[in-house]
Amino acid sequence: MADEKRGTADGEDRSAQAASKGKRQKEAGTAAEDNYRGDVFRKLGSVNRTLPPSLQLAARNNAVVTFVIGRKGNINELRILETSGSAAFDQAALGIVRKAAPFPPIPPQAASANLEFETEIGPF
């Protein structure tokens, strides 16, 4: 009678074990990335975001800012994704993100060496 589990010394099915381990590593990477993202948004929230009333009144909307953090916590890219309607307010919104930098290094378990973030900044 032929052994159905041929190819392994002890007859165990190694493919299921390998798939399970890969899934756990991916889940750990996702959890590390989610925790890191939370840390970045907390740090961004802790920065003094008080802007002069004149700047706030000039904005018609919140500015939507996008930024990319590199492996070491540095900002690799920072730009306005959606304008507030005021160039001065948009520049102040970018300044808030710059004040929060540098961010902690991205954990080695995270799937990517660069992480992109998007956030609204403004009086609305």
Side-chain angles (χ1 to χ4, degrees), residues 58-69:
R60 293 192 300 267
N61 303 299
N62 290 338
V64 179
V65 177
T66 183
F67 56 102
V68 176
I69 297 177

Side-chain angles (χ1 to χ4, degrees), residues 10 44 46 53 59 100 102:
D10 55 9
L44 194 56
S46 71

Side-chain angles (χ1 to χ4, degrees), residues 35 39 42 66 94 105 107 113 122:
N35 289 339
D39 291 345
R42 276 189 291 283
T66 183
L94 294 173

Side-chain angles (χ1 to χ4, degrees), residues 1-15:
M1 202 163 143
D3 184 3
E4 296 280 329
K5 309 245 185 211
R6 201 174 331 179
T8 62
D10 55 9
E12 289 184 18
D13 184 358
R14 300 259 194 279
S15 61

Side-chain angles (χ1 to χ4, degrees), residues 1-76:
M1 202 163 143
D3 184 3
E4 296 280 329
K5 309 245 185 211
R6 201 174 331 179
T8 62
D10 55 9
E12 289 184 18
D13 184 358
R14 300 259 194 279
S15 61
Q17 290 176 348
S20 177
K21 183 178 179 186
K23 184 177 179 185
R24 282 194 307 268
Q25 287 174 338
K26 183 177 182 184
E27 288 171 355
T30 302
E33 186 175 315
D34 289 347
N35 289 339
Y36 181 81
R37 287 183 179 279
D39 291 345
V40 167
F41 284 118
R42 276 189 291 283
K43 186 168 184 191
L44 194 56
S46 71
V47 171
N48 182 356
R49 297 168 73 123
T50 305
L51 297 174
S54 59
L55 276 182
Q56 292 181 32
L57 290 172
R60 293 192 300 267
N61 303 299
N62 290 338
V64 179
V65 177
T66 183
F67 56 102
V68 176
I69 297 177
R71 178 62 73 189
K72 294 182 180 177
N74 52 312
I75 297 176
N76 288 344

